[in-house]
Amino acid sequence: RGMADKSVDAVITDPPYGISVEILPNNSERWSAPPIVEKKAMEWDKRRCGDSIPEIIRISREQVIFGGNYYSDLLPASSGWIVWDKLNGRPGNHNGRLGDAFEFIFHHNHGANQPNKWIKTTGEAIKRGTKSHASRNKNGTQKIGMASPDKAGQEYKIPDSVIRLYAEQSRGIHTELHPATFPVGLPEFITTTYSDLDECVYEPFGGSGTTLLACENIQRQCFIQEISPNYCALILERFNRLYPN
């Protein structure tokens, strides 16, 4: 709450979901997990951090929240939802649910900020005129040519709203000591899309430090916080192993 409005370029975060929290009619919350979930639940995941949502929106230009669907009642309206397709969904019965093959990611920003063009194209794509009425001359004959010849064959394009990336495959201290890790490539993708070199990214729920590593890899400044001393130690150890100097 001590941070100034729009003091960081982007917040990219994965807050606790409180997956088995039931929202009551008076908007209070009640933990209502079945025994199998109760046994596996981390104490920090038994409640959502709903009071952080308006602060995240206030302090940043871009807001990206993994698992934003668990906070949908607290988020502003946005058409910027992103789907992370994990490519290797888990089949079978998961406590009465189908195995998850994707996750929702919420994106919102202040103003019509343009995402970056960084996805390599084939170099052969051409934007042609549509077959609608707008593509015809006044006498009814069809216009010939491209709608945007200046954009034909561009080397890079803006990503679409589906991130196609395998769930975390590597094993290490992060998967040994934290129950909810994701691949570094996921925050790298998001950060590359919504920020520029040396811009400032803030992660208020540090977890295993994946967003910090992503920012280091692609040359963004990153400020990260984590409430658990054990996870803070994990973040430092993981970072120092990859960047010993």
Side-chain angles (χ1 to χ4, degrees):
R1 289 187 174 87
M3 298 174 67
D5 293 358
K6 300 180 185 176
S7 54
V8 296
D9 297 297
V11 170
I12 298 175
T13 189
D14 187 22
Y17 299 159
I19 290 176
S20 294
V21 169
E22 179 184 358
I23 309 299
L24 300 177
N26 62 357
N27 288 325
S28 63
E29 299 180 355
R30 176 177 65 191
W31 177 255
S32 57
I36 187 172
V37 176
E38 170 71 31
K39 184 176 180 181
K40 294 180 179 180
M42 301 292 116
E43 192 63 35
W44 49 261
D45 202 27
K46 289 188 176 183
R47 58 177 291 270
R48 300 186 305 168
C49 294
D51 55 347
S52 67
I53 298 300
E55 294 301 305
I56 286 172
I57 294 170
R58 179 184 66 80
I59 65 171
S60 58
R61 182 193 72 213
E62 308 276 346
Q63 304 91 45
V64 179
I65 301 175
F66 301 129
N69 49 305
Y70 296 109
Y71 289 86
S72 59
D73 58 316
L74 302 174
L75 294 169
S78 173
S79 59
W81 286 90
I82 300 166
V83 172
W84 171 27
D85 177 2
K86 299 180 181 181
L87 299 178
N88 57 350
R90 299 179 300 168
N93 178 18
H94 295 265
N95 195 39
R97 298 182 296 110
L98 300 179
D100 60 334
F102 67 92
E103 288 188 20
F104 286 112
I105 302 172
F106 172 81
H107 171 252
H108 175 267
N109 59 24
H110 296 289
N113 305 310
Q114 291 296 312
N116 292 323
K117 292 183 179 181
W118 64 275
I119 299 294
K120 187 78 172 176
T121 67
T122 62
E124 299 175 359
I126 297 177
K127 272 197 169 183
R128 297 189 180 278
T130 64
K131 294 182 179 180
S132 66
H133 177 74
S135 67
R136 294 184 177 274
N137 297 306
K138 289 183 177 180
N139 62 6
T141 58
Q142 188 171 353
K143 291 182 179 179
I144 305 299
M146 294 178 289
S148 304
D150 57 316
K151 296 182 179 180
Q154 293 185 97
E155 188 175 1
Y156 295 96
K157 63 182 179 180
I158 295 172
D160 62 34
S161 60
V162 178
I163 301 175
R164 301 160 184 87
L165 180 69
Y166 282 103
E168 181 63 288
Q169 303 292 307
S170 65
R171 292 295 177 263
I173 58 171
H174 60 303
T175 53
E176 294 171 7
L177 301 177
H178 197 283
T181 59
F182 48 81
V184 174
L186 186 60
E188 279 186 0
F189 188 106
I190 293 291
T191 307
T192 301
T193 301
Y194 293 116
S195 70
D196 295 324
L197 289 176
D198 295 322
E199 285 195 329
C200 180
V201 173
Y202 175 50
E203 163 60 289
F205 300 98
S208 63
T210 306
T211 298
L212 178 66
L213 297 177
C215 288
E216 184 69 16
N217 290 346
I218 59 175
Q219 296 179 282
R220 268 62 167 179
Q221 299 180 58
C222 184
F223 293 89
I224 186 171
Q225 73 180 47
E226 170 55 51
I227 196 171
S228 164
N230 290 336
Y231 292 158
C232 287
L234 168 61
I235 292 168
L236 292 172
E237 177 64 22
R238 192 179 177 198
F239 189 88
N240 287 330
R241 287 188 184 186
L242 291 172
Y243 297 100
N245 298 320

